[in-house]
Amino acid sequence: MSIRRKIFIAIITTVILAIVGTIWWQRSQSKIVDPYALIPGDAILTFESREPVSTWNTFVGQQTWDMLSQIPYLKSLEDGLLMIDSLAGKGGRLDAALKGKMLVTSLHKVSKDEVDFLLFIEVKEESQQKVFSDILDQLKANTDFELSTRSYSGFTINEIKNNATERIYNYIIHEGFLIASYTSFLIEDVIRNIQDGGLSNFKSENPQLFGNNYLYNGLGIIKYNAARMADWLQVFTGGEQTQLQLDLAASQMYGSLELKFTEGQFLLDGFSYLKDTNDLDKKVPVLTSVQGQTSSSFNNYISNRTAIFYQYNFQELKELWKYKDLGENTIAGKFDRTLFHAKIDKQIGYSIFENVVGMSSDRVLMMEVKEVEAAYEQLKRYSMELEQVTADTAIQQAYQGFDLLQVNVNEFPAALFEGNFRGFDQTIVTKHGDFLVFANSIKAMKLYIDDFDSENTWGRSVDKSSFLAGIVKDANFNFIINLDRFWNNIQKQMSPKWKSFLQKYGSQIRMFDKLALQTSHFDDQIYTVVELGYTLGKSGPATDVIAEEAINVFADTTIVTRPFLVRSFVDRSSEYVFQDVQDMVYLLSEDGSLLWKYQLDGQMIPKVEQVDFYKNGKLQYLLTTPQSIYLIDRNGDLVEGYPISLKAGLDATRYSLLDYNKNRDYRYLVANQKGELYLYDKMGNNLEGWQPRATGYRLSTQADHYRIRTKDFILAPRLDGYIHFLNRRGEDESYSPVNVGSRLMSSYLVNIGSSETSSYLTTVSEDGQVLQVDFRGGITKKLQLPKNDTKTKFEMVLNQRRDGYIFSVQDYNNMSILKPNGELWFINPIPTSEQIAVQYFTFGGDKEVIVIIDQEQAFTYLFNQKGELMSTLPINGAEGVSIEYLSGKNQYRLVTTFQNRVSIYYLPS
C-alpha cells in the first residue's frame, strides 16, 4: 500500500477514535485533566494548539508548501485532511468542532532510529459528537480496519489494526480526552501516570514551562527540552553523538516558544529556562547585555564557507565560560591569561567552516581586542619561549600582507578560554583591524584572508545580509547555521536510513538554508528566538547560458600561457599576468587596462609569485625562464640586480619560492630535467650544498619547502616513485628517499599537523593508487582508484589555493572526475580528444567549478558542482583559465586566453 494511503487510513482511524470517545464522554464525569501531567517525562517536545485547523491552513498557505508537498508523507497528510473536512460537511464544521479545544501532541524516541507521536484530543462537547458521528456514518462500510481490545492495569486499550500494513493504532478514552499512538508502550506509560505509578511526566520534568499560558492565543506553542532533543538527534545519526548534541545536552535548557510565520522564514519565540535556576550561569551562554553589540560587527569578517557561527557578547570575559563544564585548564609554559583576557573587548565570534568530503573542518576564532598590538606581541613572546627560538626563526609567516604567528600548543584556545573552542590541533594567529584571529591551520587562515579580500563574506552576500538584518539586535548569544554549507556535515553524520531520505528529498529540504538561535537574559528567564529561513526559486542548471565576453584585450601576438591571477598591493584588486609567443609578458587589470609589458629572454615557467623584496608592503612579480630569474615592480621596471642569470646549462623547468623564516629573506629553488636542484638567495648567490643537489632522477612535480614546528623539510618527488625529504642543507633525512612502489606523475598536497607523523603528503601514482606518506617516511594509506584499462591515466588536480583536490581519470576520450575519497563525482558527457587538461576551483559550499580543456580543439568546458555544463557552448582556449567568485554579485569572473586575445567573462553562479 502506498504511503499516501497509509497516512489517509491513519487519519480516518483517529476520527473513528474520536467518535468512540463521545460514547465514553457521556458515561464519564467531567474532571479537569492536564495532558502534560500524563505525557511521559522523556518527551522531546510538545505542540499545543487551540486552533489546529487554522494552524494547518496557515502552514499550507506558506510559499514553501509547493516544495514541501512533494514529500509523500506531507502530501498524504494534506490529502487525508481534505477528505476528512469534506466528510464532515461544508461550512467549516470540522474547524468549528476543534476550534478552541485543546490538541496536544508529544514527540518521543521509541527506538534507535524511530520516533513516534502521542496524541491528546479534547472531545467533550455535543457539537463535536455530532460532527464525528456524521463522519462515522459515511465510513462504516470501510473494511480496512479490524477492531479489538485488550486490558492493561484495569484500563481497556482499544486497538485498530490496519489490515494492509498490519500496524496497530492504540487508544484510550480518559476524562473527555482521546489519547492515541501507534506505539503501545506510550499508551501504557500514560496509564501508569494516570494511576500515579511513579513515572516522571512532562510537567514535573519541566515545571517552569507551565507558569504562563499567554501564548495560547497564537497558532500554537512548542514546549521543548534540550537534553531530550539531543537524544532525538541520535535517531538520525544512528546513535552516534555529534558536538551539537553534546552542547544541547549540556545546556539543560527547556522553554516555551510560540510558532509564527513571517516572510521568508518560520519563527519561534518565547522564554527558556534551566533545570536549576541556581545554576543559571553554568549552563547556557547567559551573558550580560551589551548595548549596541550585534552580529553586524562580524558580518564582513564571516567567510561564506562558514557552516556554523557562534557569537558571544559580554561585559566581562569570565561570563563566557560559566555555561560549560570546564575542560583542561593547562597551558604549556608561562602565559599570563589574566593579562591577555583584559585586552579582549566584549565580543567573540567563532566560525566552523563547511566539512569538505575527506577533510576535517576548518575553524576560525575572532575576538575584538582593545590593544591588538600588545596582545599579539604577548602571543609572539610566548611562542618564542615555547620553541626556544628568536624572533627571526619561523614562528611567523606572511600571507597577502598579513603576518601569521604559529602557537604550537594543542587546543590552545580551549586552554586559554576554559575548555571552549576545541578543534585546534595547532593555532595560527593574525591581526585584522581591531580583531585577533585564531585559525586551526595555515589553510584555514588563508581561506579566511582570501575570502575577506575577495568580499566572499556574509556581509557582502545579498541573501546572508538580508537574513542577518532580521536577527534580533543586542542578543547576548547568537548561534547561526548556514544550512547550505552545513549540508556535507549533515550527510556525513546521518545513519544510512536517513541519509537515503536526505538524498531523495534534498531539493525540498535544502530550500531551508539558514537557522538562527538568539538568547537574551532577563532575570531568571532567557528570551529565545529561533528563525528558520528559506529561499525559494534557487537557480537550477545553467544549461541555457551562453558565455559572452564582457571585455577583450589584445596582445601583440599569439598568447601561449593561461592568465595568472595576482593581486594589486594598492587596492587588492585582481590583475592578470600572461605571455605571448615572442616572450613578451603583460600585466592586465580586472577592468581590462594594460598596465605594462616586458620582454623576457625566453618562455617563462608557468608560475607567477608575488614577493615583498624591500619588506615595505609593496609587492613585485617573480618570473623565471630556463635561463633567468626576473623580478618586476608595479611600474613594469626590473628590481635592481635582476634578472639573475642561472648557471650555464641549467635549463630550469620548475621553481619554487622559499621563505624559511617568513621574514622576506627569500630563496629560489630551481630544478631542471635531470632532477638537479639549485638554491639561490634573493641577491642571486647559488648557495652551498645546492650547486646542484642531484636527486638522481627527473622530478614528477616541483620541489617545495614545508615547516613542522621548527623543523624544515624540502620535498622532492621523483618520477620513478622515490620521494626525497631533505633538510635546509640539502641532506636526506635518515629514511629518505622513500620508495612508494609506483611511478609518480602527478601533483601532491601536503597537510601540516602538529608533528611529523601527523603531517603527510597525498598523491596519486601512475597506476591509480592514492598514497599518503608522513614526514617520518611512513606510507600510511593506499587506495586504488577504479582502473578500466592499462592505459588509464590518473591525475591529482589541485584547486587554485593548493589546499584541496580531486582526481581526473581518463580512458581514451572518456573523462571521469572523482572526489578525494575516490567516489565518482561525474563523467564528462562531452566527447573530447586525448589531449585533456583539468582545473579545479573551490569557493565554498556549492561554489565549485571544474574546467575540462580539450587542448587539441582549443575548447574549454565549465562544469558546476552537479556536473552540469555552466555554458551551453564551449569557450575558446587551450591554455587554462582564471576564475574568481564575486559573492556580492553572486557571479563568477572568468578570464581566458585564445590566440592573441584575453577575454573576461561574467557568469551566474
Side-chain angles (χ1 to χ4, degrees), residues 729-757:
R729 296 182 298 276
E731 302 164 341
D732 275 300
E733 294 290 325
S734 60
Y735 51 83
S736 176
V738 177
N739 182 7
V740 300
S742 301
R743 285 178 61 83
L744 300 176
M745 304 287 291
S746 190
S747 302
Y748 64 90
L749 178 71
V750 169
N751 290 84
I752 297 297
S754 57
S755 67
E756 294 171 35
T757 54

PDB file of all heavy atoms in Angstrom, residues 729-757:
ATOM      1  N   ARG A 729      70.139  22.051   4.278  1.00  0.00           N
ATOM      2  CA  ARG A 729      71.476  21.909   3.691  1.00  0.00           C
ATOM      3  C   ARG A 729      71.462  20.973   2.475  1.00  0.00           C
ATOM      4  O   ARG A 729      72.499  20.698   1.888  1.00  0.00           O
ATOM      5  CB  ARG A 729      72.462  21.394   4.738  1.00  0.00           C
ATOM      6  CG  ARG A 729      72.672  22.353   5.904  1.00  0.00           C
ATOM      7  CD  ARG A 729      73.679  21.827   6.894  1.00  0.00           C
ATOM      8  NE  ARG A 729      73.236  20.556   7.497  1.00  0.00           N
ATOM      9  CZ  ARG A 729      72.422  20.475   8.546  1.00  0.00           C
ATOM     10  NH1 ARG A 729      71.944  21.594   9.110  1.00  0.00           N
ATOM     11  NH2 ARG A 729      72.068  19.318   9.039  1.00  0.00           N
ATOM     12  N   GLY A 730      70.269  20.455   2.151  1.00  0.00           N
ATOM     13  CA  GLY A 730      70.150  19.558   1.006  1.00  0.00           C
ATOM     14  C   GLY A 730      70.441  18.113   1.340  1.00  0.00           C
ATOM     15  O   GLY A 730      70.566  17.265   0.443  1.00  0.00           O
ATOM     16  N   GLU A 731      70.520  17.785   2.636  1.00  0.00           N
ATOM     17  CA  GLU A 731      70.828  16.417   3.070  1.00  0.00           C
ATOM     18  C   GLU A 731      69.542  15.629   3.271  1.00  0.00           C
ATOM     19  O   GLU A 731      68.551  16.149   3.775  1.00  0.00           O
ATOM     20  CB  GLU A 731      71.630  16.452   4.378  1.00  0.00           C
ATOM     21  CG  GLU A 731      72.914  17.232   4.276  1.00  0.00           C
ATOM     22  CD  GLU A 731      73.496  17.583   5.646  1.00  0.00           C
ATOM     23  OE1 GLU A 731      72.723  17.534   6.642  1.00  0.00           O
ATOM     24  OE2 GLU A 731      74.688  17.918   5.708  1.00  0.00           O
ATOM     25  N   ASP A 732      69.585  14.342   2.882  1.00  0.00           N
ATOM     26  CA  ASP A 732      68.435  13.459   3.086  1.00  0.00           C
ATOM     27  C   ASP A 732      68.244  13.159   4.566  1.00  0.00           C
ATOM     28  O   ASP A 732      69.223  12.998   5.320  1.00  0.00           O
ATOM     29  CB  ASP A 732      68.634  12.134   2.344  1.00  0.00           C
ATOM     30  CG  ASP A 732      68.194  12.205   0.893  1.00  0.00           C
ATOM     31  OD1 ASP A 732      66.997  12.483   0.669  1.00  0.00           O
ATOM     32  OD2 ASP A 732      69.034  11.974   0.001  1.00  0.00           O
ATOM     33  N   GLU A 733      66.972  13.093   4.989  1.00  0.00           N
ATOM     34  CA  GLU A 733      66.684  12.537   6.308  1.00  0.00           C
ATOM     35  C   GLU A 733      67.082  11.061   6.314  1.00  0.00           C
ATOM     36  O   GLU A 733      67.271  10.447   5.256  1.00  0.00           O
ATOM     37  CB  GLU A 733      65.189  12.682   6.625  1.00  0.00           C
ATOM     38  CG  GLU A 733      64.724  14.117   6.784  1.00  0.00           C
ATOM     39  CD  GLU A 733      65.261  14.769   8.051  1.00  0.00           C
ATOM     40  OE1 GLU A 733      65.394  14.084   9.080  1.00  0.00           O
ATOM     41  OE2 GLU A 733      65.566  15.983   8.007  1.00  0.00           O
ATOM     42  N   SER A 734      67.200  10.458   7.494  1.00  0.00           N
ATOM     43  CA  SER A 734      67.710   9.086   7.609  1.00  0.00           C
ATOM     44  C   SER A 734      66.864   8.080   6.830  1.00  0.00           C
ATOM     45  O   SER A 734      67.382   7.070   6.356  1.00  0.00           O
ATOM     46  CB  SER A 734      67.768   8.681   9.087  1.00  0.00           C
ATOM     47  OG  SER A 734      66.468   8.745   9.671  1.00  0.00           O
ATOM     48  N   TYR A 735      65.584   8.357   6.663  1.00  0.00           N
ATOM     49  CA  TYR A 735      64.682   7.431   5.985  1.00  0.00           C
ATOM     50  C   TYR A 735      64.478   7.772   4.515  1.00  0.00           C
ATOM     51  O   TYR A 735      63.718   7.117   3.813  1.00  0.00           O
ATOM     52  CB  TYR A 735      63.313   7.431   6.682  1.00  0.00           C
ATOM     53  CG  TYR A 735      62.757   8.820   6.874  1.00  0.00           C
ATOM     54  CD1 TYR A 735      62.073   9.472   5.851  1.00  0.00           C
ATOM     55  CD2 TYR A 735      62.944   9.499   8.080  1.00  0.00           C
ATOM     56  CE1 TYR A 735      61.577  10.753   6.017  1.00  0.00           C
ATOM     57  CE2 TYR A 735      62.451  10.792   8.248  1.00  0.00           C
ATOM     58  CZ  TYR A 735      61.775  11.402   7.225  1.00  0.00           C
ATOM     59  OH  TYR A 735      61.285  12.678   7.380  1.00  0.00           O
ATOM     60  N   SER A 736      65.144   8.820   4.060  1.00  0.00           N
ATOM     61  CA  SER A 736      64.936   9.346   2.706  1.00  0.00           C
ATOM     62  C   SER A 736      66.018   8.817   1.753  1.00  0.00           C
ATOM     63  O   SER A 736      67.178   8.630   2.168  1.00  0.00           O
ATOM     64  CB  SER A 736      64.985  10.876   2.745  1.00  0.00           C
ATOM     65  OG  SER A 736      64.877  11.439   1.464  1.00  0.00           O
ATOM     66  N   PRO A 737      65.660   8.563   0.466  1.00  0.00           N
ATOM     67  CA  PRO A 737      64.338   8.746  -0.136  1.00  0.00           C
ATOM     68  C   PRO A 737      63.402   7.581   0.175  1.00  0.00           C
ATOM     69  O   PRO A 737      63.843   6.461   0.407  1.00  0.00           O
ATOM     70  CB  PRO A 737      64.656   8.813  -1.628  1.00  0.00           C
ATOM     71  CG  PRO A 737      65.869   7.947  -1.791  1.00  0.00           C
ATOM     72  CD  PRO A 737      66.683   8.175  -0.546  1.00  0.00           C
ATOM     73  N   VAL A 738      62.100   7.879   0.171  1.00  0.00           N
ATOM     74  CA  VAL A 738      61.066   6.881   0.439  1.00  0.00           C
ATOM     75  C   VAL A 738      60.570   6.325  -0.888  1.00  0.00           C
ATOM     76  O   VAL A 738      60.202   7.084  -1.793  1.00  0.00           O
ATOM     77  CB  VAL A 738      59.886   7.516   1.217  1.00  0.00           C
ATOM     78  CG1 VAL A 738      58.780   6.493   1.419  1.00  0.00           C
ATOM     79  CG2 VAL A 738      60.370   8.065   2.548  1.00  0.00           C
ATOM     80  N   ASN A 739      60.558   4.999  -1.000  1.00  0.00           N
ATOM     81  CA  ASN A 739      60.076   4.336  -2.218  1.00  0.00           C
ATOM     82  C   ASN A 739      58.611   3.971  -2.033  1.00  0.00           C
ATOM     83  O   ASN A 739      58.265   3.138  -1.199  1.00  0.00           O
ATOM     84  CB  ASN A 739      60.901   3.083  -2.491  1.00  0.00           C
ATOM     85  CG  ASN A 739      60.483   2.375  -3.771  1.00  0.00           C
ATOM     86  OD1 ASN A 739      59.659   2.876  -4.535  1.00  0.00           O
ATOM     87  ND2 ASN A 739      61.063   1.203  -4.013  1.00  0.00           N
ATOM     88  N   VAL A 740      57.725   4.586  -2.834  1.00  0.00           N
ATOM     89  CA  VAL A 740      56.287   4.301  -2.699  1.00  0.00           C
ATOM     90  C   VAL A 740      55.859   3.135  -3.571  1.00  0.00           C
ATOM     91  O   VAL A 740      54.701   2.710  -3.515  1.00  0.00           O
ATOM     92  CB  VAL A 740      55.437   5.546  -3.037  1.00  0.00           C
ATOM     93  CG1 VAL A 740      55.782   6.686  -2.102  1.00  0.00           C
ATOM     94  CG2 VAL A 740      55.609   5.965  -4.497  1.00  0.00           C
ATOM     95  N   GLY A 741      56.769   2.604  -4.390  1.00  0.00           N
ATOM     96  CA  GLY A 741      56.469   1.391  -5.131  1.00  0.00           C
ATOM     97  C   GLY A 741      55.764   1.583  -6.455  1.00  0.00           C
ATOM     98  O   GLY A 741      55.448   0.599  -7.134  1.00  0.00           O
ATOM     99  N   SER A 742      55.498   2.813  -6.849  1.00  0.00           N
ATOM    100  CA  SER A 742      54.833   3.091  -8.123  1.00  0.00           C
ATOM    101  C   SER A 742      55.377   4.391  -8.693  1.00  0.00           C
ATOM    102  O   SER A 742      55.813   5.274  -7.947  1.00  0.00           O
ATOM    103  CB  SER A 742      53.317   3.212  -7.943  1.00  0.00           C
ATOM    104  OG  SER A 742      52.757   2.043  -7.396  1.00  0.00           O
ATOM    105  N   ARG A 743      55.329   4.539 -10.007  1.00  0.00           N
ATOM    106  CA  ARG A 743      55.770   5.776 -10.636  1.00  0.00           C
ATOM    107  C   ARG A 743      54.816   6.914 -10.262  1.00  0.00           C
ATOM    108  O   ARG A 743      53.596   6.721 -10.143  1.00  0.00           O
ATOM    109  CB  ARG A 743      55.823   5.612 -12.151  1.00  0.00           C
ATOM    110  CG  ARG A 743      57.017   4.791 -12.620  1.00  0.00           C
ATOM    111  CD  ARG A 743      57.009   4.618 -14.140  1.00  0.00           C
ATOM    112  NE  ARG A 743      57.088   5.877 -14.849  1.00  0.00           N
ATOM    113  CZ  ARG A 743      58.207   6.536 -15.106  1.00  0.00           C
ATOM    114  NH1 ARG A 743      59.370   6.055 -14.689  1.00  0.00           N
ATOM    115  NH2 ARG A 743      58.199   7.681 -15.785  1.00  0.00           N
ATOM    116  N   LEU A 744      55.401   8.091 -10.090  1.00  0.00           N
ATOM    117  CA  LEU A 744      54.624   9.272  -9.725  1.00  0.00           C
ATOM    118  C   LEU A 744      54.608  10.234 -10.903  1.00  0.00           C
ATOM    119  O   LEU A 744      55.658  10.614 -11.418  1.00  0.00           O
ATOM    120  CB  LEU A 744      55.230   9.957  -8.492  1.00  0.00           C
ATOM    121  CG  LEU A 744      55.297   9.105  -7.218  1.00  0.00           C
ATOM    122  CD1 LEU A 744      56.002   9.870  -6.105  1.00  0.00           C
ATOM    123  CD2 LEU A 744      53.900   8.691  -6.766  1.00  0.00           C
ATOM    124  N   MET A 745      53.395  10.630 -11.306  1.00  0.00           N
ATOM    125  CA  MET A 745      53.247  11.502 -12.474  1.00  0.00           C
ATOM    126  C   MET A 745      52.461  12.765 -12.149  1.00  0.00           C
ATOM    127  O   MET A 745      52.209  13.587 -13.033  1.00  0.00           O
ATOM    128  CB  MET A 745      52.508  10.754 -13.598  1.00  0.00           C
ATOM    129  CG  MET A 745      53.152   9.452 -14.024  1.00  0.00           C
ATOM    130  SD  MET A 745      54.668   9.699 -14.967  1.00  0.00           S
ATOM    131  CE  MET A 745      54.005  10.390 -16.482  1.00  0.00           C
ATOM    132  N   SER A 746      52.060  12.942 -10.886  1.00  0.00           N
ATOM    133  CA  SER A 746      51.047  13.952 -10.587  1.00  0.00           C
ATOM    134  C   SER A 746      51.513  14.904  -9.495  1.00  0.00           C
ATOM    135  O   SER A 746      52.593  14.751  -8.909  1.00  0.00           O
ATOM    136  CB  SER A 746      49.748  13.254 -10.161  1.00  0.00           C
ATOM    137  OG  SER A 746      48.690  14.160 -10.089  1.00  0.00           O
ATOM    138  N   SER A 747      50.665  15.881  -9.218  1.00  0.00           N
ATOM    139  CA  SER A 747      50.905  16.825  -8.130  1.00  0.00           C
ATOM    140  C   SER A 747      50.731  16.133  -6.783  1.00  0.00           C
ATOM    141  O   SER A 747      50.326  14.961  -6.702  1.00  0.00           O
ATOM    142  CB  SER A 747      49.930  18.001  -8.237  1.00  0.00           C
ATOM    143  OG  SER A 747      50.048  18.665  -9.466  1.00  0.00           O
ATOM    144  N   TYR A 748      51.015  16.859  -5.723  1.00  0.00           N
ATOM    145  CA  TYR A 748      50.794  16.331  -4.377  1.00  0.00           C
ATOM    146  C   TYR A 748      50.269  17.460  -3.485  1.00  0.00           C
ATOM    147  O   TYR A 748      50.441  18.640  -3.782  1.00  0.00           O
ATOM    148  CB  TYR A 748      52.076  15.735  -3.789  1.00  0.00           C
ATOM    149  CG  TYR A 748      53.191  16.727  -3.568  1.00  0.00           C
ATOM    150  CD1 TYR A 748      53.325  17.405  -2.359  1.00  0.00           C
ATOM    151  CD2 TYR A 748      54.131  16.981  -4.568  1.00  0.00           C
ATOM    152  CE1 TYR A 748      54.351  18.321  -2.154  1.00  0.00           C
ATOM    153  CE2 TYR A 748      55.162  17.893  -4.374  1.00  0.00           C
ATOM    154  CZ  TYR A 748      55.263  18.553  -3.167  1.00  0.00           C
ATOM    155  OH  TYR A 748      56.275  19.466  -2.960  1.00  0.00           O
ATOM    156  N   LEU A 749      49.619  17.062  -2.418  1.00  0.00           N
ATOM    157  CA  LEU A 749      49.096  18.014  -1.429  1.00  0.00           C
ATOM    158  C   LEU A 749      49.663  17.659  -0.069  1.00  0.00           C
ATOM    159  O   LEU A 749      49.681  16.474   0.305  1.00  0.00           O
ATOM    160  CB  LEU A 749      47.567  17.965  -1.390  1.00  0.00           C
ATOM    161  CG  LEU A 749      46.896  18.883  -0.357  1.00  0.00           C
ATOM    162  CD1 LEU A 749      47.034  20.337  -0.789  1.00  0.00           C
ATOM    163  CD2 LEU A 749      45.423  18.536  -0.197  1.00  0.00           C
ATOM    164  N   VAL A 750      50.132  18.664   0.658  1.00  0.00           N
ATOM    165  CA  VAL A 750      50.693  18.439   1.985  1.00  0.00           C
ATOM    166  C   VAL A 750      49.743  18.969   3.052  1.00  0.00           C
ATOM    167  O   VAL A 750      49.256  20.102   2.950  1.00  0.00           O
ATOM    168  CB  VAL A 750      52.075  19.112   2.120  1.00  0.00           C
ATOM    169  CG1 VAL A 750      52.547  19.106   3.579  1.00  0.00           C
ATOM    170  CG2 VAL A 750      53.091  18.393   1.237  1.00  0.00           C
ATOM    171  N   ASN A 751      49.457  18.142   4.050  1.00  0.00           N
ATOM    172  CA  ASN A 751      48.703  18.551   5.234  1.00  0.00           C
ATOM    173  C   ASN A 751      49.671  18.642   6.396  1.00  0.00           C
ATOM    174  O   ASN A 751      50.297  17.636   6.759  1.00  0.00           O
ATOM    175  CB  ASN A 751      47.597  17.545   5.562  1.00  0.00           C
ATOM    176  CG  ASN A 751      46.488  17.573   4.534  1.00  0.00           C
ATOM    177  OD1 ASN A 751      46.576  16.944   3.492  1.00  0.00           O
ATOM    178  ND2 ASN A 751      45.422  18.293   4.836  1.00  0.00           N
ATOM    179  N   ILE A 752      49.826  19.835   6.960  1.00  0.00           N
ATOM    180  CA  ILE A 752      50.752  20.037   8.071  1.00  0.00           C
ATOM    181  C   ILE A 752      49.996  19.870   9.377  1.00  0.00           C
ATOM    182  O   ILE A 752      49.011  20.563   9.642  1.00  0.00           O
ATOM    183  CB  ILE A 752      51.390  21.436   8.012  1.00  0.00           C
ATOM    184  CG1 ILE A 752      52.224  21.577   6.729  1.00  0.00           C
ATOM    185  CG2 ILE A 752      52.263  21.682   9.244  1.00  0.00           C
ATOM    186  CD1 ILE A 752      53.388  20.643   6.634  1.00  0.00           C
ATOM    187  N   GLY A 753      50.444  18.935  10.191  1.00  0.00           N
ATOM    188  CA  GLY A 753      49.873  18.723  11.509  1.00  0.00           C
ATOM    189  C   GLY A 753      50.788  19.270  12.586  1.00  0.00           C
ATOM    190  O   GLY A 753      51.684  20.075  12.323  1.00  0.00           O
ATOM    191  N   SER A 754      50.582  18.796  13.791  1.00  0.00           N
ATOM    192  CA  SER A 754      51.370  19.292  14.921  1.00  0.00           C
ATOM    193  C   SER A 754      52.659  18.501  15.127  1.00  0.00           C
ATOM    194  O   SER A 754      53.461  18.831  15.997  1.00  0.00           O
ATOM    195  CB  SER A 754      50.529  19.254  16.196  1.00  0.00           C
ATOM    196  OG  SER A 754      50.059  17.933  16.446  1.00  0.00           O
ATOM    197  N   SER A 755      52.862  17.440  14.343  1.00  0.00           N
ATOM    198  CA  SER A 755      54.064  16.619  14.474  1.00  0.00           C
ATOM    199  C   SER A 755      54.415  16.047  13.106  1.00  0.00           C
ATOM    200  O   SER A 755      53.654  16.170  12.147  1.00  0.00           O
ATOM    201  CB  SER A 755      53.838  15.483  15.471  1.00  0.00           C
ATOM    202  OG  SER A 755      52.875  14.562  14.961  1.00  0.00           O
ATOM    203  N   GLU A 756      55.568  15.380  13.031  1.00  0.00           N
ATOM    204  CA  GLU A 756      55.999  14.789  11.761  1.00  0.00           C
ATOM    205  C   GLU A 756      55.112  13.619  11.365  1.00  0.00           C
ATOM    206  O   GLU A 756      54.868  13.392  10.178  1.00  0.00           O
ATOM    207  CB  GLU A 756      57.464  14.358  11.866  1.00  0.00           C
ATOM    208  CG  GLU A 756      58.420  15.532  12.035  1.00  0.00           C
ATOM    209  CD  GLU A 756      59.839  15.098  12.368  1.00  0.00           C
ATOM    210  OE1 GLU A 756      60.270  14.036  11.856  1.00  0.00           O
ATOM    211  OE2 GLU A 756      60.519  15.800  13.138  1.00  0.00           O
ATOM    212  N   THR A 757      54.620  12.859  12.327  1.00  0.00           N
ATOM    213  CA  THR A 757      53.776  11.708  11.989  1.00  0.00           C
ATOM    214  C   THR A 757      52.342  12.111  11.666  1.00  0.00           C
ATOM    215  O   THR A 757      51.643  11.372  10.973  1.00  0.00           O
ATOM    216  CB  THR A 757      53.769  10.690  13.140  1.00  0.00           C
ATOM    217  OG1 THR A 757      53.392  11.356  14.365  1.00  0.00           O
ATOM    218  CG2 THR A 757      55.135  10.048  13.303  1.00  0.00           C
TER     219      THR A 757
END
